Amino acid sequence: MDELPALAALAYNQEGAAAHEAISGKEIRGIGDVEETVIEGVSRYSYGGIRVYRIPVESFPNHVTNVYLLVGGEPTLVDVGFNSETGRNDLERGFAVVCQGFGERVSLESVSNVVITHGHGDHFGMLEHPRLKGKRLFMSPPDTEVVREYQTEYQEWKQYVAKLAQEAGCQVDLDQLFGHDRLAFDGSDYQLIEVHDQQEIIGSGTVHHTPGHSPGHICLGCGPFLFLGDHLLSLTTPHQVPKSGWGGAGLRVYLDSLAKVARLGYALGLPAHEEVITSIEHRAKEVALFHQQRLAELHYLCRQEKSLYELTRDYYARHPELIQASSIDELVAGDFVLALEEIKAHVEYLLDEGRLLMVGGESGVPRYRSR
Ligand SMILES: [Zn+2]
């Protein structure tokens, strides 16, 4: 679940209000020195010899992943979406528009590299696609594990969710969670290359390690572009996970990674969902502020001690707009778990800062009180 701070939506609309020029179904606008051209839902961002195509791929119903195709050097895909039937059709149709609409000569087969920003299914699931297998695959550890050992990672994730629910003091029906317990590929189907911060890859790209949303999350810089994965989104605030469940992630490292991308100086942010970001620095500050406000509010709500479940329930009762429901109890199991994780990531931050105290965890259900 990603969340919508209304102020951020407004800010984007103002920034995005560049002049549009419509030419027979083709729309062109300038974003700084970058030219954006849109044909049939596929956007091209060009700067010098670098051309990036954004292909929207519906990974799950109502959940679109932006798959980016970089050409001008070795053809490279950044994130590939999930291998749903719609997603696969979207990807193939997108390549057809890139060729017929924009005049490129590129196919899934001619792509040399696949860069996966992080190990979440809506970013790597399409690796099942037989026409992608055999390529160089760039990812950062520990997120690479989900590609090497998907089945094991999936089982461990379910156990983790069971433990999280128990500790929160509530029930989660594990059978209602994301059900894809196997995927039709493993590490041996690709030339898997583990990448690290500042590494130069694919000829013209620089890896930036941005842990937080996941431990091995990376952004990829190329010319004026920064491929953001889920590190920074234009409208919603990327999901936060507790560091106790995801070693190397958590809110503190996420905020550090936000400050990091704000300093890098790339002109245009290309996120894996939603719209392009014309000021990475500005958007990163908005998202950081959002988390500071949430921390303050959770601290306030813990004047009376609460379990993680109670705190999550009470927080979202004050912010139904963030979950499109009046109570977390109405959410489907997967979203309910995301809500618990989100609040736990903030609770951990407050505990580390000494602003919360953990009390009465003897029953296996810790309770939190502000101090
Ligand atoms: Zn995502």
Side-chain angles (χ1 to χ4, degrees), residues 49-339:
I50 309 173
R51 301 182 302 286
V52 177
Y53 293 90
R54 182 181 71 180
I55 302 171
V57 165
E58 190 176 87
S59 288
F60 307 111
N62 303 313
H63 184 75
V64 171
T65 304
N66 294 326
V67 172
Y68 293 101
L69 168 66
L70 178 61
V71 297
E74 294 174 3
T76 298
L77 283 170
V78 182
D79 288 333
V80 289
F82 190 75
N83 185 26
S84 62
E85 196 182 334
T86 324
R88 211 163 43 244
N89 291 339
D90 287 346
L91 183 64
E92 287 171 6
R93 194 194 69 87
F95 267 75
V97 174
V98 169
C99 294
Q100 288 148 28
F102 290 94
E104 299 283 357
R105 298 181 70 172
V106 65
S107 63
L108 280 174
E109 283 78 9
S110 69
V111 166
S112 312
N113 310 305
V114 178
V115 179
I116 301 292
T117 57
H118 65 290
H120 290 169
D122 57 329
H123 298 258
F124 72 82
M126 188 72 80
L127 293 175
E128 286 190 323
H129 200 309
R131 291 170 67 195
L132 287 174
K133 289 184 181 176
K135 300 183 189 304
R136 284 190 290 272
L137 173 65
F138 298 88
M139 273 183 93
S140 168
D143 288 30
T144 38
E145 286 310 306
V146 85
V147 169
R148 285 190 213 279
E149 291 287 345
Y150 180 80
Q151 251 174 283
T152 313
E153 292 286 307
Y154 179 87
Q155 295 306 335
E156 285 179 8
W157 171 68
K158 276 214 158 169
Q159 288 162 16
Y160 152 78
V161 171
K163 199 166 146 248
L164 177 69
Q166 190 185 32
E167 186 197 303
C170 58
Q171 305 283 325
V172 172
D173 184 351
L174 298 181
D175 293 335
Q176 300 297 314
L177 294 174
F178 184 75
H180 299 267
D181 59 349
R182 295 154 202 264
L183 292 179
F185 70 89
D186 61 38
S188 67
D189 287 320
Y190 287 86
Q191 303 171 50
L192 181 57
I193 300 163
E194 295 200 331
V195 298
H196 302 278
D197 195 41
Q198 293 300 313
Q199 193 172 333
E200 306 282 321
I201 59 169
I202 65 161
S204 55
T206 306
V207 172
H208 300 285
H209 184 214
T210 49
H213 179 71
S214 79
H217 193 291
I218 55 168
C219 295
L220 178 72
C222 187
F225 304 112
L226 185 63
F227 297 92
L228 290 161
D230 282 359
H231 182 48
L232 189 60
L233 302 174
S234 64
L235 296 174
T236 56
T237 60
H239 176 56
Q240 298 302 309
V241 293
K243 63 178 180 172
S244 53
W246 303 89
L251 183 59
R252 182 167 299 275
V253 296
Y254 174 72
L255 293 175
D256 288 346
S257 298
L258 263 192
K260 176 178 174 171
V261 295
R263 286 192 303 266
L264 291 174
Y266 288 96
L268 191 67
L270 301 175
H273 309 286
E274 306 170 359
E275 291 306 318
V276 298
I277 295 174
T278 51
S279 171
I280 293 171
E281 188 182 3
H282 177 74
R283 181 62 187 142
K285 280 187 182 150
E286 278 181 346
V287 171
L289 180 64
F290 174 85
H291 288 295
Q292 292 304 335
Q293 286 169 338
R294 173 174 284 167
L295 288 165
E297 199 170 337
L298 293 171
H299 181 255
Y300 170 78
L301 285 172
C302 283
R303 292 180 331 283
Q304 281 108 32
E305 64 173 57
K306 290 180 167 68
S307 66
L308 177 62
Y309 166 73
E310 290 163 349
L311 181 57
T312 307
R313 179 196 63 195
D314 293 357
Y315 175 81
Y316 285 106
R318 294 160 66 98
H319 295 283
E321 78 284 2
L322 297 178
I323 53 172
Q324 286 96 48
S326 58
S327 161
I328 57 165
D329 295 325
E330 293 167 15
L331 297 175
V332 297
D335 287 347
F336 180 83
V337 170
L338 293 180

